[in-house]
Amino acid sequence: MQISLKGQVAIVTGASSGLGAGAAKGLAASGAAVVINYHSQPEPAQKLAQEIIDAGGQAIAIGADVSNEQDVEKLFAETLDAFGRLDILVANSGLQKDAAFADMSLEDWNTVINVNLTGQFLCARAAVRQFAKQDIRSEVSRARGKIIHMSSVHQVIPWAGHVNYAASKGGVDLLMRSIAQEVGEQRIRVNSIAPGAIRTAINTKATSGDAEKKLLELIPYGRVGEADDVANAIVWLASDASDYVHGTTLFIDGGMSLYPEFRNNG
Ligand code: NAD
């Protein structure tokens, strides 16, 4: 199966690092023009855009805070100025502010919900509004547009010490499925990716040294994931190869969501 996203334009939020950067590289390697959204650090985003351009692709870095409505409007407007249309949104931005539940501040609760859930709402809404203005180009894609939400295994696995994060990702699940139910007849495809433990900046501590050994006990497949494991799934979900996949969460977790504690007879 060969995947081509030639002639399509993708926005990837939070793409200056980790899974977002991996997704941007994967989409660009498949032929899409890519908008690399960053929050506070333009340099890595601009460097990644240049790498993609040097490899013969199309890319631009655009700053925006996904939890800010005006910033999101600006991100989409600048995308249209640069590339004239939008076909794919990867709503990837996310963060953690961890604390024991009794000690969690309202500020840390709000920050995580604002970025991880409201940010997904604002970006998906802007994408749906833009898709609705565009005709389907069946020679390029069977869908009018595609949205991929970045969720987590913690949309189903409760997570002590991270209740804001788990609540945000649980919210992403019903956000995604409700949008999918509503916009499917416009031929807008909406799905989520739920990664398990993937080696990125968000979990450096958990994926190195002794902590990694402990983490592996939670992964039946026996290895920590890499950004490419997720990028490959994103490229597939963005392509016509998955055209009948709608309203689904694809778990990329080496089996982390399989209740691994029960593998030795409980
Ligand atoms: P990361 O920290 O490298 O990436 C997060 C990105 O989000 C960063 O580029 C950051 O700048 C961006 N971001 C943060 N606040 C933002 C804001 N207000 N506006 C715009 N961008 C903002 O970590 P990552 O692992 O690549 O995480 C990417 C996504 O994957 C997150 O949604 C995370 O919850 C999810 N995820 C990661 C893992 C994992 O194991 N790495 C597992 C499950 C889910």
Side-chain angles (χ1 to χ4, degrees), residues 24-217:
K25 283 184 213 165
L27 292 167
S30 302
V34 180
V35 173
I36 298 163
N37 159 250
Y38 62 89
H39 180 217
S40 48
Q41 291 182 306
E43 296 82 11
Q46 282 158 356
K47 190 164 165 268
L48 177 56
Q50 196 55 52
E51 271 170 39
I52 290 171
I53 292 165
D54 292 346
Q58 287 176 280
I60 185 174
I62 300 178
D65 174 349
V66 295
S67 66
N68 178 297
E69 190 173 21
Q70 282 75 40
D71 273 24
V72 171
E73 296 306 316
K74 184 176 115 338
L75 169 64
F76 281 70
E78 289 182 14
T79 298
L80 291 189
D81 286 350
F83 295 124
R85 61 177 295 111
L86 179 71
D87 301 281
I88 300 158
L89 166 68
V90 182
N92 164 74
S93 292
L95 45 71
Q96 288 179 214
K97 297 269 179 200
D98 309 329
F101 179 61
D103 300 329
M104 186 170 283
S105 66
L106 178 61
E107 190 185 353
D108 283 355
W109 169 269
N110 282 338
T111 302
V112 170
I113 297 296
N114 287 344
V115 174
N116 294 13
L117 185 54
T118 307
Q120 299 259 344
F121 157 69
L122 289 172
C123 291
R125 188 184 65 174
V128 165
R129 286 176 176 171
Q130 179 56 33
F131 295 154
K133 293 182 197 154
Q134 299 174 177
D135 290 331
I136 297 180
R137 299 171 303 162
S138 47
E139 70 288 3
V140 175
S141 176
R142 296 178 72 181
R144 190 180 299 277
K146 287 136 312 189
I147 297 175
I148 299 165
H149 292 278
M150 189 61 79
S151 186
S152 162
V153 288
H154 295 295
Q155 75 170 41
V156 292
I157 303 177
W159 204 12
H162 309 258
V163 298
N164 47 2
Y165 185 82
S168 73
K169 297 300 187 180
V172 168
D173 180 37
L174 270 176
L175 172 74
M176 178 280 287
R177 290 196 284 149
S178 302
I179 301 172
Q181 193 188 57
E182 186 167 334
V183 304
E185 65 189 2
Q186 296 174 55
R187 296 294 281 277
I188 297 171
R189 255 186 340 109
V190 189
N191 291 288
S192 288
I193 299 269
I198 317 288
R199 218 180 290 279
T200 69
I202 213 170
N203 60 16
T204 313
K205 270 198 214 144
T207 56
S208 38
D210 282 349
E212 177 172 356
K213 274 189 218 137
K214 199 157 171 275
L215 180 62
L216 287 175
E217 289 170 17

